[in-house]
Every structure is written in structure tokens, then in C-alpha cells.
Amino acid sequence: MADSGTEAVDRGMDKIGWARAHMDILEGIRARFKKELPFRGKTLSLVLHVEAKTAALALALKAGGADVHLAASNPLTTDDQVVAGLLSQGIDTLAKKGESAQDYQHGIDAMLAADPDIIIDDGADLVAAALQRGRTVIGSTEETTTGVVRLRAMEKDGKLRWPAIDVNDATMKHLFDNRYGTGQSTLDGIFTATNLTIAGRTAVVAGYGWCGKGVASRLRGLGAEVIVTEVDPAKAVEARLEGFRVLPMLDAVKEADLIVTVTGCLDVLTRKHFAVMKDGCLLANSGHFDVEVNTKDLARLAVRHRKVRPMVEEFTFRDGRKAYLLAEGRLVNLSAGQGHPVEIMDMSFALQALSAEYLVTSGKKLKPGVHAVPQELDDQVASAALQARGIKIDRLSETQKRYLSSWQEGT
Ligand code: ADE
């Protein structure tokens, strides 16, 4: 039964409350923002996955004086109860789970209509639309590998007209969010979609970037035999020395019980792979866009297609073999699962909040183009993450500092 309005708000606020209770770093920033109001008079448009952790970010920015607008960065990753909760808190939120391509576009349009000073993006769709329509902002922040690849291409073409902060490549983002976040949440999505066992299965991970490393390590931890596919020779060697088998995809699919794509590129699995794929193979994507599994090829090759669970479609080929596509080939971790664990998003969204503040204070001094998160902000989040976990570490003595700086000075 659908939630009544107030029930949805209450459940949404419970989910947001749980997330906030485990996001010590962001909540510390929120308390400071509330006192200092760094965003007073500023409009922030956010295109992010609309779920509980994202709500905590939106509320922290609002506490800092911002007029916050939020739309979905993917049609399948919205939590409708969280949307109800956010609307009850005065955050203009345009998102619905399973929304159409037109509604998705409408969300992007609404974010631009709000006339933002700052854009917070996940995948660079809002930045691309703003640039295309000749808009200008103080700056933007981006949290995905895919989004940063797109921003760098815009910068190279001379199209990026403002400073864009590359949150993805901050140490406190990619080392944890991309690796442990994607590692755990991808498995969460696969469990929820299938209710099947990982142990004893042969799992193929396509792409051995930070996300692929996380997924491969978690699959191995659960007892899968893991094969990695790569196009980058160094990453392929790295995967091999980490103990994984490395194969071309055309060979790997013949053994695979489960394939997870995390390359950021299109056509990782196409007709030629489906033609020789092991019977019963599960297909999951954890890359940003739904282009890694060629679902058109899959549909064309299949003689029968039906939905067998809420997030599982069965495709039967002419020879009787079957393949199972999870979450329509969209981000499995947020479409079928609950996204990255809360404490991981705490670090990522702390960096987003601090980077947005940095743009407000210093954005006008920055040249157009892609900029790294300032080291002191990365360090600040690292120290706060240790403190949140009650971990103490050593400090260099004055003698040690002199020793190290003598090497740096070449003396
Ligand atoms: N939750 C909110 N944003 C997310 C993201 N980019 N990845 C995974 N989980 C998330």
C-alpha cells in the first residue's frame, strides 16, 4: 500500500534522522554553518541521488543560509519517502523513483530555473545543461569519476566557463567512497535484487579502477572466485598481483555466474558476449551511466523477456540459455540497494559541503577549469574522520620534522 502523505514524511524523516546520527563530520560542519551562515543570500542547485544521506547534505547547506534546490541524478535511485521528508523541511525537491526521461529533464530544467550561484553535481548533467544554455555560476563541484572525465573534456574544448572542484579525486573521497563504498553498496544491491549466494560463484569485475578494486575485494571476501577484465595494462598487472585472474571479457563470460561492470565506458557487454555467455549469468552495473551493458543488444538477441523479481529481468536466448539483468542495467547499488554506507557518504558529503563553501569564499579568484579540492580541506575531513572513530595517531617530533625538511631542502 502506498504511504499516506504524513506517513511518507515521517518515514522519510526517520531515514534522514538515522543517517544524520551517523554522519558526525557533516553534522559538525552543519553546526558551524548554522553559526557562520556562509551561504546567506546564495542559491545552490544540487543534482544528486535523492536519498537519506543526500538529504543530510541538503539540510546542512540550508542551515548555512543557502536556498537549496535538489533534483535526481538518476531516474531509479530516488527514495520517495526521503523526498517527502525534504519537502516538509522546505527543500525544493524534484525527484521520483522510476521517473521518465522527461521528468528527469524537467528536474534539470528546474535546477537551472532556480538561477543557482553554485552547482553540486553527480555525473555532470547539470553542468552540461547550464553550459549549453549559456548560464554562468560562481562554480560547481563534482563527485563522480564519470563527471570529472566529462568536465575535463569540457575544459579541453574551452567550454568550461567557471571553476569546477573535482571532489572525486580528493583522497578522502575516492579512497573510501569509490573503493569501500562501491564495494559494499554494489553487493547490497545484488543481494537485495536476487537474494542469492555469492560464495562459490565465479564473478567477473569489468574495470579495476578504485570502484572495481572495491567490488572485486568484497566479492572475494564473500567467497566468490573473482576474474578481472581490463583495458589498461598496468591495472591488469595490479589486479593479477592482487591475486585475481585476468581475462579478456569474451573468455570471462564463458565462466561467469555474475558480471559487475564498473568501467565508466559503454558496450562492455554486447551481442558477441551474450552469444557465448554462461547460462544463468547475473548482469549488474555499478558505473554511473546505464551504457555498460548493451541492453538493446540483449533485447534483440532474446526470444523471451520477462520480469522475474522487482529488480531482475530474465532474457532467454534461442538456444535456451538465460541471462538475468539487474536494475535495468542502471547503478545497482542505488537502484536496488541503499547506496553507499552512511559513514562513507559522511566523508564524501563533508568534502562537498566544504568545497561549496570554498567556492563562495574564493570561487571568484579561481580561473575557469577543473580544480583540486584544497589540501587543507582534505586534511580537515581526514582528521574529523579519525576523531569520529575515536582513533588517535602519532605526531612528528620537532627532530623528525627537521630531518624530513632537510631532505626536502636537499641538504
Ligand atoms: N548516496 C548518495 N549519493 C551517493 C553516491 N554518489 N553513491 C552512492 N551512494 C550515494
Side-chain angles (χ1 to χ4, degrees):
M1 209 173 68
D3 295 324
S4 72
T6 49
E7 227 177 81
V9 170
D10 290 350
R11 293 219 187 127
M13 290 311 294
D14 283 348
K15 287 181 180 177
I16 297 168
W18 174 262
R20 285 186 57 196
H22 297 87
M23 295 176 89
D24 292 7
I25 311 171
L26 188 63
E27 288 302 303
I29 292 169
R30 175 193 165 112
R32 179 173 66 74
F33 279 0
K34 203 170 165 192
K35 274 195 233 131
E36 297 176 5
L37 298 175
F39 301 111
R40 186 163 36 193
K42 296 283 184 284
T43 298
L44 273 63
S45 284
L46 285 50
V47 167
L48 297 171
H49 300 290
V50 182
E51 52 103 355
K53 285 92 80 182
T54 309
L57 171 65
L59 291 169
L61 298 170
K62 184 168 190 274
D67 175 22
V68 179
H69 303 260
L70 171 64
S73 61
N74 183 299
L76 258 196
T77 59
T78 297
D79 183 326
D80 292 332
Q81 293 171 342
V82 168
V83 174
L86 278 169
L87 289 170
S88 79
Q89 300 301 299
I91 307 254
D92 171 38
T93 310
L94 275 113
K96 185 158 177 49
K97 191 169 178 86
E99 68 192 15
S100 65
Q102 284 110 305
D103 286 344
Y104 178 78
Q105 194 51 51
H106 175 63
I108 301 270
D109 294 345
M111 294 304 103
L112 291 180
D115 198 15
D117 299 293
I118 305 280
I119 285 174
I120 299 189
D121 220 353
D122 184 318
D125 275 355
L126 183 56
V127 163
L131 289 171
Q132 210 179 20
R133 292 179 215 175
R135 307 295 285 268
T136 297
V137 294
I138 298 172
S140 61
T141 69
E142 169 58 50
E143 73 177 47
T144 65
T145 311
T146 295
V148 171
V149 169
R150 290 179 82 189
L151 289 174
R152 293 221 176 267
M154 294 171 199
E155 178 182 39
K156 195 161 158 246
D157 292 346
K159 292 189 178 142
L160 189 55
R161 292 194 297 274
W162 55 74
I165 309 293
D166 168 6
V167 173
N168 180 65
D169 288 296
T171 305
M172 292 306 292
K173 200 285 182 176
H174 71 267
L175 269 189
F176 306 105
D177 177 310
N178 300 26
R179 185 167 41 169
Y180 304 120
T182 309
Q184 180 168 326
S185 62
T186 298
L187 270 294
D188 172 23
I190 294 169
F191 295 152
T192 308
T194 67
N195 194 213
L196 294 175
T197 313
I198 296 297
R201 283 194 140 80
T202 299
V204 173
V205 178
Y208 202 66
W210 287 109
C211 296
K213 288 189 220 302
V215 174
S217 124
R218 285 340 187 214
L219 283 166
R220 175 160 65 187
L222 283 160
E225 186 199 349
V226 179
I227 298 172
V228 168
T229 70
E230 247 306 336
V231 291
D232 178 317
K235 287 187 181 146
V237 173
E238 190 183 7
R240 185 69 194 114
L241 296 198
E242 196 50 51
F244 299 115
R245 284 170 68 203
V246 178
L247 286 177
M249 185 58 93
L250 210 47
D251 296 325
V253 293
K254 295 175 190 156
E255 298 186 39
D257 300 306
L258 162 68
I259 303 176
V260 183
T261 56
V262 255
T263 68
C265 197
L266 82 174
D267 285 350
V268 180
L269 291 171
T270 61
R271 189 183 178 84
K272 66 178 180 197
H273 304 107
F274 303 134
V276 292
M277 188 169 276
K278 186 175 170 188
D279 181 27
C281 187
L282 307 170
L283 309 175
N285 169 52
S286 243
H288 183 78
F289 287 116
D290 57 338
V291 296
E292 307 211 10
V293 180
N294 189 320
T295 51
K296 287 203 180 91
D297 274 5
L298 192 54
R300 263 188 236 119
L301 214 59
V303 292
R304 184 165 182 236
H305 169 219
R306 64 188 181 119
K307 198 167 193 168
V308 290
R309 284 173 61 89
M311 284 284 163
V312 186
E313 291 164 272
E314 179 189 78
F315 293 82
T316 307
F317 303 120
R318 195 171 294 284
D319 57 8
R321 283 175 306 114
K322 293 179 179 6
Y324 294 96
L325 179 67
L326 311 191
E328 301 172 13
R330 295 188 188 276
L331 274 170
V332 74
N333 60 344
L334 278 145
S335 303
Q338 300 180 71
H340 293 356
V342 180
E343 303 92 325
I344 298 278
M345 291 314 296
D346 187 23
M347 298 189 276
S348 302
F349 283 155
L351 283 166
Q352 285 279 29
L354 294 176
S355 297
E357 183 185 30
Y358 172 61
L359 282 172
V360 168
T361 54
S362 311
K364 293 208 168 119
K365 286 182 249 156
L366 298 173
K367 289 203 189 100
V370 180
H371 293 258
V373 171
Q375 188 60 48
E376 35 317 348
L377 301 188
D378 219 351
D379 292 345
Q380 202 177 310
V381 174
S383 299
L386 278 181
Q387 207 185 347
R389 288 164 176 78
I391 299 169
K392 293 198 168 54
I393 59 170
D394 294 326
R395 280 175 188 276
L396 288 173
S397 68
E398 289 309 313
T399 313
Q400 286 173 315
K401 281 187 200 164
R402 274 198 299 280
Y403 175 78
L404 290 175
S405 63
S406 74
W407 287 115
Q408 278 154 13
E409 286 155 17
T411 54

